[in-house]
Amino acid sequence: MTPVKTTESVIRRMTRLAVEHDAVNLSQGFTDECPPFELVWAAVSAILGGTEAQMARLDGASLRELVPGLDASEIVERPLKQILETLQGRQDSLNQYSFPFGLPDLRDAIADYTQRLYGWRPDPETDITVTLGATEALASVLAGVCAPGDRLIVPQPYHEMYPSQAAVFGLVPDYVTLLEDVETGRWTLNRDEWEAAASRGARALILNTPHNPTGKVFSASDLGFIAELAARHALLVISDEIYEHIVFDDARHLSPAAIPGMRERTIVVNSISKTGNATGWRVGWVIAPAIYTPAIRGFHDTMVIQAPTPLQRAAVALLRLDPSAFDTLRTEYARKRETLTLGLGRAGFGVSAPEGAYYLFARYRDVPGLGGRAPMEAALHLITEVGVASVPGDNFYATEGGGDEYLRFAFCRSVPALEAAARRLARLTSG
Ligand SMILES: Cc1ncc(COP(=O)(O)O)c(C=O)c1O
């Protein structure tokens, strides 16, 4: 097989340019706000403690109990680093290689979390594999369940890793196009087009709901259609659900695996990246029917061995949080969506309110000074002259001319950063 040349991701290139030009970076989908303290503390105590026993000790005890030789004034005066050094466990398992398919505690937590959210419990032994984020989860799935030459249905606009990973594994993408209904602000699918793609003999379909970049949350009716299509054409559905908690107004995230009859043909990829504000940790997972798991695990083990042990241990704390903890994501992102929608609207962009995820896929052709430019040129102009980084819309399409009226803006930054972006965007209309 001829090796496939992969190129720099456009999204990550925009981040690089944003840094170079000191632009507010609304290109790549990561936040500038901290992860929940429970998650951070679990990682700190796993790295420092090194064992479950020392983690438990660090968790509950006071400094007076932990460092008995010190008096109160010493505790206050000593650098924190020196005190923490005395707490480091000498025995260690949590900073070492661990079971490649994921810590048993984390696989149990993923199973319980799935049960709480979607009403069914995957088997941690046979169905769950912990990976380096959803990115490696998808790669392991494509490598494990598809063969070179297989067709893969990919809805466009898409996350750029779908076609690039398809290319790496020699798969043939068959694109179907989501269409924006500007009147209703909804993105719709053309069922005949999906039917035709399935009839061409695809092995699998990649679904992403809530959807990046449009914000579409696939409805019960959409998913019913996809389930029926998958059953009729023996299609596997690979469901990327990393924005599962980020939904707005009356939209509700539905997982295709929870639809009767779909479990045996659905493979879920997910991660703590967005739910835990921890995109840099690279902890994710695959939930697959048991028959596919050995091949998925084989690829995962060969390429990366495992996700970082202490961060896996910490992810247990996130997934075991009370589900109400995830509701705050919704309320905080709703406010951010509002701030950036207003800013873009004032600058002349056309924006449909997304139902989920944290992107605005904005029409820019009526924006003064911008509308006449091709998407990449418009994005570069915004970075260098206005100081806001976005992603050109055509980056999310494979077909010629697709997305050339859109720019994607991520609203996952802090409110002050979004307000700063809105002020800068206002320069577009003030001449
Ligand atoms: C739809 C989608 N899937 C996957 C990813 C990557 O996820 P991870 O950080 O878990 O690899 C992203 C990141 O923005 C995304 O938008």
Side-chain angles (χ1 to χ4, degrees):
M1 192 168 93
T2 325
V4 175
K5 294 263 185 308
T6 43
T7 50
E8 182 186 18
S9 137
V10 169
I11 298 180
R12 289 185 276 283
R13 177 174 167 220
M14 290 297 141
T15 287
R16 191 163 52 71
L17 292 175
V19 173
E20 249 170 57
H21 293 275
D22 201 21
V24 181
N25 185 6
L26 307 185
S27 61
Q28 205 173 342
F30 63 90
T31 179
D32 52 1
E33 295 180 312
C34 61
F37 183 72
E38 287 300 328
L39 182 62
V40 172
W41 169 244
V44 169
S45 65
I47 292 171
L48 188 66
T51 60
E52 288 292 337
Q54 181 68 351
M55 260 186 99
R57 200 172 151 247
L58 294 177
D59 208 34
S62 68
L63 262 186
R64 193 186 295 279
E65 290 161 335
L66 288 170
V67 201
L70 289 183
D71 66 28
S73 69
E74 272 182 303
I75 287 176
V76 178
E77 297 302 330
R78 282 225 187 153
L80 179 63
K81 184 178 168 189
Q82 268 184 25
I83 294 181
L84 291 180
E85 195 179 353
T86 67
L87 301 179
Q88 188 178 16
R90 298 294 137 202
Q91 292 284 311
D92 196 283
S93 59
L94 292 173
N95 293 290
Q96 311 305 326
Y97 287 134
S98 53
F99 190 54
F101 313 141
L103 292 179
D105 281 356
L106 179 55
R107 283 180 290 122
D108 263 347
I110 292 166
D112 292 345
Y113 171 85
T114 307
Q115 166 100 63
R116 276 200 311 278
L117 290 173
Y118 304 112
W120 69 285
R121 192 173 194 280
D123 183 333
E125 291 305 318
T126 58
D127 303 350
I128 298 176
T129 306
V130 176
T131 58
L132 293 181
T135 301
E136 191 253 312
L138 179 68
S140 295
V141 169
L142 294 180
V145 306
C146 298
D150 277 354
R151 301 182 82 86
L152 182 68
I153 301 179
V154 181
Q156 60 178 6
Y158 46 62
H159 186 271
E160 64 186 4
M161 77 172 175
Y162 303 158
S164 55
Q165 288 198 4
V168 167
F169 297 113
L171 309 179
V172 182
D174 208 333
Y175 296 102
V176 291
T177 305
L178 300 174
L179 296 169
E180 184 181 19
D181 178 341
V182 176
E183 294 293 304
T184 62
R186 292 287 155 97
W187 287 77
T188 57
L189 43 101
N190 174 345
R191 294 185 177 190
D192 292 340
E193 194 191 14
W194 288 53
E195 185 73 54
S199 307
R200 286 190 282 272
R203 165 77 172 134
L205 175 157
I206 299 193
L207 186 72
N208 170 217
T209 183
H211 184 253
N212 170 10
T214 66
K216 176 178 174 63
V217 174
F218 282 71
S219 65
S221 160
D222 292 332
L223 292 181
F225 162 71
I226 291 169
E228 190 264 330
L229 191 73
R232 239 175 334 103
H233 293 277
L235 272 178
L236 277 174
V237 173
I238 303 169
S239 183
D240 177 344
E241 304 186 21
I242 67 166
Y243 298 103
E244 62 192 337
H245 293 293
I246 308 176
V247 287
F248 306 110
D249 308 323
D250 51 5
R252 286 288 159 269
H253 167 64
L254 302 169
S255 173
I259 296 177
M262 278 300 281
R263 204 164 308 155
E264 60 268 31
R265 56 178 91 261
T266 304
I267 300 181
V268 175
V269 299
N270 205 339
S271 81
I272 65 163
S273 286
K274 316 288 173 166
T275 300
N277 278 0
T279 52
W281 283 30
R282 316 308 303 131
V283 177
W285 61 90
V286 177
I287 303 175
I291 49 163
Y292 301 118
T293 297
I296 293 167
R297 288 180 171 179
F299 182 84
H300 161 80
D301 189 8
T302 305
M303 298 306 284
V304 304
I305 305 181
Q306 54 150 114
T309 307
L311 304 186
Q312 286 192 51
R313 179 59 189 81
V316 174
L318 180 78
L319 300 188
R320 294 217 179 274
L321 287 177
D322 187 273
S324 62
F326 304 119
D327 293 344
T328 53
L329 282 172
R330 240 168 264 167
T331 39
E332 284 170 12
Y333 280 124
R335 183 166 163 227
K336 293 175 180 191
R337 178 182 69 153
E338 191 69 20
T339 307
L340 192 62
T341 302
L342 272 174
L344 285 169
R346 286 201 188 111
F349 288 86
V351 197
S352 298
E355 301 167 276
Y358 51 44
Y359 304 96
L360 293 176
F361 205 44
R363 281 166 271 114
Y364 74 93
R365 290 295 185 175
D366 291 333
V367 179
L370 207 62
R373 299 168 196 265
M376 178 57 91
E377 220 194 306
L380 292 176
H381 178 81
L382 274 186
I383 292 181
T384 56
E385 307 304 319
V386 180
V388 175
S390 60
V391 182
D394 54 358
N395 185 53
F396 303 92
Y397 288 80
T399 39
E400 191 62 33
D404 69 0
E405 52 187 304
Y406 295 99
L407 293 173
R408 190 196 76 172
F409 297 84
F411 58 86
C412 48
R413 298 307 167 110
S414 62
V415 170
L418 296 172
E419 286 170 347
R423 280 194 300 277
R424 291 179 180 199
L425 289 165
R427 291 181 201 155
L428 284 162
T429 38
S430 62

